[in-house]
Amino acid sequence: MITIPYITALTTYFSYGLLFAFGQLRDFFRKIVDWWSIKNNLQGYAPICLGLEDFYIRRLYLRIQDCFNRPIASPPDAWFDVVERVSNDNNKTLKRTTRVSRCLYLGFAAADEYCTPRVIESLKKFFPSTCSPRIDGGTTTLHAELEERVANFVGKPAAVVFGMGYVTNSAILPVLMGKGSLIISDSLNHNSIVNGARGSGATIRVFQHNTPSHLEKVLREHIAEGQPRTHRPWKKIMVVVEGIYSMEGEICKLPEIVSICKKYKAYVYLDEAHSIGAVGKTGRGVCELLGVDTADVDVMMGTFTKSFGSCGGYIAGSKELIQYLKYACPAHLYATSISPPAAQQIISSIKVILGEDGSSRGAQKLAKIRENGNFFRSELQKMGFEVLGDNDSPVMPIMLYNPSKIPAFSRECLKRNVAVVTVAFPATPLLLARARICISAAHTREDLVKALEVISSVGDLVGVKYFPAEPKKQQLEGDRVKLE
């Protein structure tokens, strides 16, 4: 649980209240002006965009939209080119300029000496797309090899791959669960899980974030009560968690959760979008990191965009489960299959991670991402930032809270050639805006030190250092000399 400082919560509420009040006032006067001046063919129609979400977009998001969706003009390496944008109408619309800033991005990877030549060869052989779903002409030899490699990599008998990570969750859950089933979801699960659960028609209950004791309480209560109205036993129960929570950087308490699910005969669905290929001795995710047998996790999901430099997602499980999904899942039956060059990129990345390319680069990358992540996190905490998450997690959110600090932090960092990802409502709760830092193995210690210097100076300027900074070693040594 995040404990917000009292003064910070008060000022954040006040800022949102001020924005809301002035936004409502402007909407009131706009209605009066529109009633007198605008004559159109939509008289009598209900507004197509209605509600607080539309109000939030118009009156809050558009003011700071230059901090989001920044277009880039180079591969997404440790350093990349950001296309600068300008606005002549108070950020309602943004125009791209010909100016490009070279920025340090705390992100993923680019060209690779082993992967890239093989991807180019696959492009020549298979072309960019299969132009077909898997059940028609969309399954190539690369797709078959990829599914076999993914299954072996995560430690499951079989796997199926999809062209989009988000769809992997949102399309699979409705196939597995339905009316009369119970989904128990972590309160901070990703939106793809939330939408997939809602689309399934199953009863959904939420347990406190990463709290096994509350999960057990929810399970026990709902097993005792049974289905709503009829009180019949549930057809099946599934507990859905993430390996590393994308907005918190926290590692799932998987051993305890698996133990509880075994006790109450509930299935475990594990989303490893941010953990597969990033944590564990050989990059096999939280099961390897925490010593959990993959046989105890019924459905293993992951994506290829983070650690593998590609796109798409996978589901791994028993052969019977995967066979059923291939017959029943719309994302497999109707969506275009994953691009062959993208599939080759994943295959080559797995080979590098496992050392099958004839080098130790995979092991070095895994060690480097742990080292980089832990160094960066500890330095941010020493500076006085409130940083969420656990050690060994490459995701580290810096809490901003106040809505005025979101654009200030993002714009000031960009001026100093450091591009950061700021995240606000609805991706996070209203009061818990943050900047999400994602460390990769591509960053050198010099890159990280430069980023830390910029973030520290901007943190002082914007006022987001909510804790006292630790005194530096030189200062401590000077104090000792004085005492002597």
Side-chain angles (χ1 to χ4, degrees):
M1 293 291 291
I2 303 170
T3 305
I4 308 173
Y6 179 75
I7 298 297
T8 304
L10 194 65
T11 55
T12 303
Y13 271 125
F14 178 77
S15 299
Y16 276 114
L18 206 62
L19 286 166
F20 185 81
F22 276 98
Q24 291 288 359
L25 196 63
R26 292 184 67 182
D27 276 5
F28 174 74
F29 284 110
R30 189 176 105 171
K31 284 178 183 177
I32 294 173
V33 172
D34 288 353
W35 188 78
W36 284 101
S37 60
I38 298 177
K39 301 292 181 184
N40 56 39
N41 295 326
L42 297 178
Q43 206 76 20
Y45 281 79
I48 196 165
C49 299
L50 190 64
L52 281 175
E53 288 84 359
D54 178 54
F55 174 84
Y56 181 86
I57 290 167
R58 288 185 292 103
R59 297 302 182 200
L60 282 81
Y61 172 78
L62 289 181
R63 292 170 179 263
I64 60 172
Q65 69 164 322
D66 60 298
C67 300
F68 307 101
N69 307 319
R70 286 178 175 141
I72 67 172
S74 66
D77 206 348
W79 287 82
F80 74 97
D81 298 327
V82 175
V83 179
E84 295 184 19
R85 298 175 293 177
V86 296
S87 177
N88 300 319
D89 53 6
N90 297 318
N91 253 16
K92 288 181 181 176
T93 57
L94 294 170
K95 295 180 181 178
R96 297 186 184 185
T97 68
T98 55
R99 297 192 302 275
V100 172
S101 299
R102 188 70 172 168
C103 288
L104 171 64
Y105 175 64
L106 304 179
F108 313 126
D112 181 85
E113 61 190 67
Y114 181 83
C115 300
T116 305
R118 286 159 179 78
V119 171
I120 293 170
E121 281 301 312
S122 71
L123 179 63
K124 292 176 182 177
K125 183 177 180 180
F126 294 101
F127 275 50
S129 173
T130 61
C131 304
S132 175
R134 290 287 303 274
I135 60 167
D136 292 337
T139 299
T140 67
T141 53
L142 286 178
H143 292 87
E145 182 184 353
L146 174 59
E147 289 177 343
E148 185 180 347
R149 284 200 169 269
V150 167
N152 291 335
F153 185 68
V154 301
K156 280 291 185 182
V160 58
V161 297
F162 303 93
M164 183 180 177
Y166 186 97
V167 166
T168 307
N169 275 330
S170 59
I172 286 296
L173 284 169
V175 177
L176 294 179
M177 307 297 283
K179 191 175 179 181
S181 301
L182 175 64
I183 295 175
I184 302 180
S185 178
D186 188 286
S187 60
L188 295 182
N189 272 341
H190 191 264
N191 183 258
S192 59
I193 294 172
V194 174
N195 283 344
R198 286 174 179 170
S200 69
T203 300
I204 304 166
R205 293 294 179 265
V206 174
F207 69 96
Q208 290 172 7
H209 171 58
N210 217 12
T211 309
S213 59
H214 189 247
L215 167 63
E216 183 169 15
K217 181 183 176 184
V218 172
L219 264 169
R220 189 169 56 246
E221 287 178 358
H222 285 84
I223 289 172
E225 291 175 6
Q227 296 183 39
R229 293 190 298 275
T230 64
H231 301 291
R232 291 176 181 172
W234 298 101
K235 292 180 179 177
K236 55 183 139 176
I237 301 172
M238 184 171 284
V239 175
V240 186
V241 294
E242 293 185 38
I244 293 178
Y245 289 88
S246 58
M247 290 298 164
E248 276 63 39
E250 293 178 8
I251 297 172
C252 172
K253 295 177 180 176
L254 192 61
E256 296 94 325
I257 289 170
V258 165
S259 176
I260 291 166
C261 290
K262 277 185 174 181
K263 180 179 177 181
Y264 293 95
K265 303 295 185 287
Y267 292 111
V268 180
Y269 184 109
L270 176 64
D271 178 343
E272 290 215 81
H274 287 267
S275 54
I276 192 68
V279 297
K281 187 178 178 181
T282 58
R284 286 178 164 89
V286 291
C287 287
E288 182 179 51
L289 179 70
L290 302 175
V292 175
D293 188 351
T294 55
D296 293 332
V297 180
D298 303 284
V299 185
M300 298 183 73
M301 176 269 175
T303 62
F304 302 122
T305 49
K306 283 80 179 176
S307 299
F308 305 97
S310 189
C311 63
Y314 69 84
I315 293 289
S318 65
K319 289 183 179 180
E320 294 77 15
L321 170 68
I322 299 305
Q323 195 66 35
Y324 170 70
L325 292 178
K326 287 183 176 181
Y327 289 143
C329 181
H332 183 82
L333 297 173
Y334 306 115
T336 303
S337 62
I338 189 170
S339 165
Q344 180 61 61
Q345 168 68 23
I346 303 160
I347 293 168
S348 301
S349 298
I350 292 174
K351 286 182 177 180
V352 171
I353 291 171
L354 297 177
E356 294 178 12
D357 63 330
S359 74
S360 61
R361 287 194 307 126
Q364 290 169 7
K365 282 178 180 288
L366 288 167
K368 191 69 184 288
I369 194 171
R370 281 192 294 272
E371 180 189 330
N372 284 353
N374 292 337
F375 166 76
F376 205 85
R377 183 185 301 279
S378 66
E379 291 300 309
L380 287 173
Q381 289 169 340
K382 289 176 186 176
M383 291 172 182
F385 290 101
E386 183 176 358
V387 185
L388 304 184
D390 299 319
N391 283 335
D392 289 342
S393 168
V395 179
M396 49 200 78
I398 301 173
M399 299 309 296
L400 304 178
Y401 296 118
N402 200 292
S404 62
K405 294 181 180 182
I406 301 167
F409 188 83
S410 177
R411 289 165 184 165
E412 289 300 323
C413 283
L414 190 65
K415 283 180 187 177
R416 294 162 174 78
N417 291 340
V418 173
V420 296
V421 176
T422 50
V423 188
F425 179 83
T428 66
L430 195 66
L431 295 184
L432 303 181
R434 64 199 68 182
R436 189 180 73 164
I437 308 295
C438 295
I439 297 297
S440 90
H443 299 120
T444 63
R445 183 56 63 93
E446 291 75 23
D447 291 338
L448 300 180
V449 169
K450 174 180 171 55
L452 285 164
E453 289 171 354
V454 170
I455 290 171
S456 180
S457 64
V458 173
D460 289 326
L461 180 67
V462 175
V464 291
K465 292 184 177 180
Y466 296 105
F467 299 108
E470 287 186 14
K472 294 182 179 179
K473 288 183 179 179
Q474 292 177 350
Q475 183 182 337
L476 288 171
E477 289 171 2
D479 291 342
R480 285 174 190 162
V481 170
K482 287 178 184 177
L483 287 169
E484 290 171 0

